[in-house]
Amino acid sequence: MKKITMQDVASKAGVSKSTVSQYINNRFEFMGASTKLRVEAAIKELGYIPNQVAKSLKQKKTGTIGVIVANILHAFSTEIIRAIEDECERNGFHLFVCNADDQPEKERSYIDMLVAKQVDGLVIFPTNGNNDYYKQLKNAEFPIVFVDRMINEPIFPTLLLDNESASRIAVEQLAKKGRKKIGLVSTSIAQNVTPRIERIRGYKKALASHGLSVEEDWIVAEERQEIGKKLQNIWDTGSRPEAFFATNDLALIELLKFIKKNKLAIPEDIGVIAIDDSPFLETATTPISVIKQPTFEIGQNAAETLLKLIVSKDFKEVYEERRYPPILVERESI
Amino acid sequence: MKKITMQDVASKAGVSKSTVSQYINNRFEFMGASTKLRVEAAIKELGYIPNQVAKSLKQKKTGTIGVIVANILHAFSTEIIRAIEDECERNGFHLFVCNADDQPEKERSYIDMLVAKQVDGLVIFPTNGNNDYYKQLKNAEFPIVFVDRMINEPIFPTLLLDNESASRIAVEQLAKKGRKKIGLVSTSIAQNVTPRIERIRGYKKALASHGLSVEEDWIVAEERQEIGKKLQNIWDTGSRPEAFFATNDLALIELLKFIKKNKLAIPEDIGVIAIDDSPFLETATTPISVIKQPTFEIGQNAAETLLKLIVSKDFKEVYEERRYPPILVERESI
DNA sequence: ATGACTTACTAAACCGGTTTAGTGCAAGGA
DNA sequence: TCCTTGCACTAAACCGGTTTAGTAAGTCAT
């Protein structure tokens, strides 16, 4: 089946391509009423759908943005994407979604392809391996917004949780209940991922401000599959903390598995608090207290910021990062 | 900053656009060695990136597919998307991700826009409100694959769980432990969504084959926020089932909330089994038995099927739906 | 020396829109 | 009557690639 083009519509309506184009774009100022009707009829009859690719080529804009997340399987990423998508839909934009899997090469390859596909902008959860490339894109005035992670130079708007506050709240909650020996569980910090680094830093600061000492042995920051072993090791050989702060959902899962395996009771034997919520945490025998991120707000603002940058092209030298306050959900695990 | 075009490269290298195009597309058969080097150098020096929009326009293919899910916030959708994305990446395709929110109008509007953007194909979790439109697309030989849900006529390849088997397994597991009074919890069936309908049907069949009678009062199929009330109502006023089968994750969450509120013990007071897994279910005090879907396999096969259809354009009149066996994860909640 | 083939490359059409610069015509004013 | 102005519409260039048809120069056989 041959695709219907603007020319087909024009011929059928007995007008020129230009006139059809005017019609499609609602420029009716200088269009006769009968012409308008004829074009309208021809479009309907032929089932004409304008080719956006051709339009994009001429107009040098595609109404498309790319989102490169670390991994869409994280609820955090999913919620951000959903919020971005909603905001984009309101503005007639579409979303390419890509998973960089924390691999700078994969990230770079995606950026390359998305740029080649002429996306109007990008939302990136940046790995730290392409900072030079980001700078190039900045020089080319390519609109980008960073989410969840910072790179060393804030050359694009960056939106993320106030991680240190989140840790402070976590420690506060535990300390309030008299917990003095507070451990931390995190996924690996080998790649210097902003939230993990900041959460650990915030945790240490908070301990200090509560007059508690930092016990490096109680800080577990490993690849996911190592966490259980490391926890068991602490439990079996060292002095035991009275509570753990899990800095994200994956760390929490491993922590809960460990707690289950050792038949510990929450909060009697061990206190637990974590960053990131899940509906199942509410239904646990002891519901787990968590610190939520305002994911939808972050995602929506990221999209708003990007769309604004796309139209204004008003780039600043550097940007102050935008921090979001964490949200405490008090349950019974502390 | 002006975008570098193929013409710029051609001028710099002292050749014609055509030659640069040959170079870009690795057609070296009739290219002199020195010419090749000059073009290569010019491209590198100028940092030239070919414009895929222009290419797409001429070649009538974009290397892009659209995925329209019900709601990306469901873990099921996310996993399918992830699998599709992986398969697409291997084949140089990119993914538009859209949320139809079970609204046929929204779905239709997305299909329209994606078709206008010249996607090469679509993966859709179909609502049942655009069957006429699907048929039109079929007539136009537009490649589509359906996932998770069927429409009344199987005009495109359709991949989904063997829902009746899943229900059979669930009932079997409960019956094996002597449960005779088995209720069901589902999200609303007002929109005739395939999996929900089939799971309920399978549940009824399975009860029958175990010689158990179907108690309509024990079947809760409501909007999410109504589920709790309905369950409470059964508990307070009617005869009580000994176990519940939750047909998806949302239903399970509401069921667990209800169980918690009534301080029931799993499995002593009430048996539980559900479709769809979550890492947190493993860490519950009583780990919940579930029936998993092979989401990654479904997603990957969906992408494979679609990509094959895109290149072959070999449409059949109708398709047999492809069913995936459910995977039982036995834990302790039965 | 001539014609037939290769080899290496290019001109120009083309994809399907948008946009600019005009054109033809009728009405209105001098 | 002539000139201007406004209206309704169109021709053609353009976006940045791909692709087809063709050309020029060199090689080889005759």
Side-chain angles (χ1 to χ4, degrees):
Chain A
M1 214 193 69
K2 196 188 148 292
K3 277 255 171 71
I4 305 298
T5 72
M6 190 169 265
Q7 184 58 61
D8 299 330
V9 175
S11 306
K12 174 137 221 157
V15 298
S16 74
K17 255 183 13 168
S18 323
T19 302
V20 178
S21 178
Q22 307 291 6
Y23 177 91
I24 291 289
N25 293 287
N26 296 306
R27 307 182 153 315
F28 299 127
E29 302 105 76
F30 302 117
M31 189 174 303
S34 81
T35 306
K36 188 172 161 183
L37 285 172
R38 264 162 34 236
V39 172
E40 196 169 350
I43 287 174
K44 189 156 290 171
E45 194 170 334
L46 296 172
Y48 169 63
I49 299 171
N51 181 326
Q52 292 295 323
V53 170
K55 179 172 187 162
S56 297
L57 177 59
K58 176 65 181 179
Q59 298 197 139
K60 294 162 177 285
K61 57 185 180 190
T62 53
T64 298
I65 71 168
V67 180
I68 304 178
V69 301
N71 186 346
I72 197 187
L73 294 175
H74 291 303
F76 176 73
S77 308
T78 309
E79 288 168 17
I80 297 279
I81 290 172
R82 174 73 215 220
I84 294 175
E85 212 260 317
D86 285 347
E87 184 61 25
C88 282
E89 202 226 339
R90 274 175 234 126
N91 293 275
F93 273 71
H94 280 154
L95 232 62
F96 280 121
V97 173
C98 310
N99 297 96
D101 287 324
D102 283 324
Q103 295 168 228
E105 323 75 52
K106 210 173 159 195
E107 178 184 68
R108 183 173 176 125
S109 142
Y110 270 124
I111 297 176
D112 272 342
M113 308 216 47
L114 292 171
V115 167
K117 284 199 172 163
Q118 312 298 116
V119 295
D120 297 333
L122 289 171
V123 176
I124 306 183
F125 291 37
T127 66
N128 238 309
N130 288 312
N131 296 5
D132 52 329
Y133 194 29
Y134 297 142
K135 214 168 293 173
Q136 258 176 259
L137 291 164
K138 166 80 170 210
N139 288 336
E141 303 220 312
F142 190 85
I144 296 184
V145 168
F146 290 139
V147 169
D148 190 47
R149 303 166 174 195
M150 288 165 36
I151 65 167
N152 46 10
E153 276 181 275
I155 56 175
F156 287 112
T158 305
L159 291 70
L160 72 170
L161 184 69
D162 181 346
N163 287 300
E164 293 203 9
S165 288
S167 293
R168 188 172 37 70
I169 293 171
V171 170
E172 242 168 49
Q173 290 296 310
L174 293 167
K176 214 170 66 180
K177 295 276 174 142
R179 308 280 188 184
K180 296 209 177 319
K181 302 157 84 174
I182 301 173
L184 177 145
V185 190
S186 167
T187 38
S188 169
I189 52 170
Q191 297 139 103
N192 272 323
V193 180
T194 311
R196 302 181 196 164
I197 300 294
E198 290 185 347
R199 288 171 195 181
I200 293 177
R201 187 164 63 217
Y203 153 84
K204 289 181 177 176
K205 282 192 194 171
L207 286 182
S209 79
H210 283 270
L212 304 171
S213 65
V214 173
E215 190 77 49
E216 289 289 344
D217 285 349
W218 291 342
I219 300 179
V220 176
E222 305 287 330
E223 294 297 337
R224 193 174 164 184
Q225 60 277 16
E226 300 298 318
I227 290 176
K229 272 179 247 171
K230 193 83 187 291
L231 284 169
Q232 196 61 54
N233 201 265
I234 294 173
W235 215 246
D236 295 343
T237 66
S239 75
R240 297 177 175 179
E242 305 158 345
F244 273 111
F245 164 38
T247 61
N248 64 44
D249 51 351
L250 298 184
L252 175 61
I253 287 167
E254 295 308 319
L255 173 62
L256 292 176
K257 281 191 199 161
F258 158 79
I259 289 173
K260 186 164 182 58
K261 204 194 291 176
N262 287 268
K263 300 198 166 62
L264 304 178
I266 305 173
E268 294 79 5
D269 302 326
I270 189 100
V272 172
I273 190 164
I275 293 179
D276 290 337
D277 199 12
S278 155
F280 288 108
L281 295 177
E282 193 184 337
T283 68
T285 304
T286 305
I288 309 291
S289 293
V290 296
I291 293 153
K292 282 202 294 191
Q293 304 193 48
T295 45
F296 289 93
E297 197 187 341
I298 296 176
Q300 185 179 337
N301 290 350
E304 285 166 354
T305 307
L306 182 62
L307 295 176
K308 213 175 291 169
L309 200 54
I310 287 171
V311 302
S312 76
K313 290 275 177 182
D314 174 23
F315 289 87
K316 295 201 284 181
E317 263 315 300
V318 296
Y319 291 84
E320 192 112 345
E321 80 258 16
R322 183 156 171 194
R323 294 284 179 172
Y324 288 79
I327 302 154
L328 173 66
V329 183
E330 291 191 64
R331 295 203 269 246
E332 300 155 31
S333 60
I334 298 176
Chain B
M1 216 193 67
K2 199 192 146 289
K3 278 257 172 69
I4 306 298
T5 72
M6 191 170 264
Q7 184 58 63
D8 299 329
V9 175
S11 305
K12 174 138 220 158
V15 298
S16 75
K17 257 183 11 168
S18 323
T19 303
V20 178
S21 178
Q22 308 290 7
Y23 177 90
I24 291 289
N25 293 289
N26 296 307
R27 304 181 155 316
F28 299 127
E29 301 106 77
F30 300 118
M31 190 175 303
S34 82
T35 307
K36 188 173 163 184
L37 285 172
R38 264 162 35 236
V39 172
E40 195 169 352
I43 287 174
K44 190 156 289 173
E45 195 169 333
L46 295 172
Y48 170 63
I49 299 171
N51 182 326
Q52 292 294 324
V53 170
K55 179 171 188 161
S56 297
L57 176 59
K58 177 66 182 180
Q59 301 198 139
K60 294 161 177 283
K61 58 185 179 190
T62 54
T64 298
I65 71 168
V67 180
I68 304 178
V69 301
N71 186 347
I72 196 187
L73 294 175
H74 291 305
F76 175 73
S77 309
T78 308
E79 288 167 17
I80 297 279
I81 291 173
R82 175 71 215 221
I84 295 175
E85 211 261 317
D86 285 348
E87 183 62 24
C88 282
E89 203 226 337
R90 274 175 234 126
N91 292 275
F93 273 70
H94 280 152
L95 232 63
F96 280 121
V97 174
C98 309
N99 298 96
D101 288 324
D102 284 323
Q103 296 167 229
E105 323 75 50
K106 211 174 158 192
E107 178 184 68
R108 184 174 176 126
S109 143
Y110 270 124
I111 297 176
D112 272 341
M113 308 217 46
L114 292 171
V115 167
K117 283 200 171 162
Q118 311 297 118
V119 295
D120 297 333
L122 288 171
V123 176
I124 305 183
F125 292 39
T127 66
N128 239 310
N130 288 311
N131 296 6
D132 52 331
Y133 195 29
Y134 298 142
K135 213 167 294 173
Q136 257 176 260
L137 290 164
K138 166 81 170 210
N139 288 336
E141 303 219 312
F142 190 84
I144 296 183
V145 169
F146 290 138
V147 169
D148 190 49
R149 302 165 175 197
M150 289 166 37
I151 66 167
N152 46 11
E153 276 182 276
I155 54 174
F156 288 112
T158 305
L159 291 69
L160 71 171
L161 183 71
D162 182 345
N163 287 300
E164 293 204 9
S165 288
S167 293
R168 188 174 36 70
I169 294 171
V171 170
E172 243 168 48
Q173 290 297 310
L174 293 167
K176 213 170 66 180
K177 295 278 174 136
R179 308 280 188 184
K180 299 212 177 317
K181 302 158 83 173
I182 300 173
L184 177 145
V185 190
S186 166
T187 38
S188 169
I189 52 170
Q191 296 138 103
N192 272 323
V193 180
T194 311
R196 302 180 197 166
I197 300 295
E198 292 185 345
R199 289 170 195 180
I200 293 177
R201 186 164 63 218
Y203 152 86
K204 289 182 176 174
K205 282 193 193 169
L207 285 182
S209 78
H210 284 270
L212 304 172
S213 66
V214 174
E215 190 77 51
E216 289 289 344
D217 285 349
W218 292 341
I219 300 179
V220 176
E222 305 287 331
E223 295 296 338
R224 194 175 164 186
Q225 59 277 13
E226 301 298 319
I227 290 177
K229 270 179 250 173
K230 194 84 187 291
L231 284 169
Q232 196 63 53
N233 200 264
I234 294 174
W235 216 246
D236 294 344
T237 66
S239 75
R240 298 176 174 180
E242 306 159 342
F244 273 113
F245 165 37
T247 60
N248 64 43
D249 51 350
L250 298 184
L252 176 61
I253 287 166
E254 297 306 319
L255 173 62
L256 292 177
K257 280 191 202 163
F258 158 79
I259 288 174
K260 185 161 183 59
K261 204 195 291 177
N262 287 271
K263 301 198 165 60
L264 304 176
I266 306 172
E268 294 78 5
D269 301 326
I270 188 104
V272 173
I273 190 164
I275 293 179
D276 290 338
D277 199 11
S278 154
F280 289 106
L281 295 177
E282 192 183 336
T283 68
T285 302
T286 305
I288 310 292
S289 294
V290 296
I291 293 152
K292 282 201 293 191
Q293 304 193 47
T295 46
F296 289 93
E297 197 186 342
I298 297 176
Q300 185 179 337
N301 290 351
E304 285 165 357
T305 307
L306 183 62
L307 295 177
K308 212 175 292 168
L309 200 54
I310 287 171
V311 304
S312 76
K313 290 275 177 182
D314 173 23
F315 289 87
K316 296 200 284 182
E317 263 314 300
V318 296
Y319 291 85
E320 191 113 345
E321 79 258 16
R322 181 154 172 196
R323 292 285 180 172
Y324 289 80
I327 303 155
L328 173 65
V329 183
E330 291 192 65
R331 296 203 271 247
E332 302 154 29
S333 60
I334 297 174

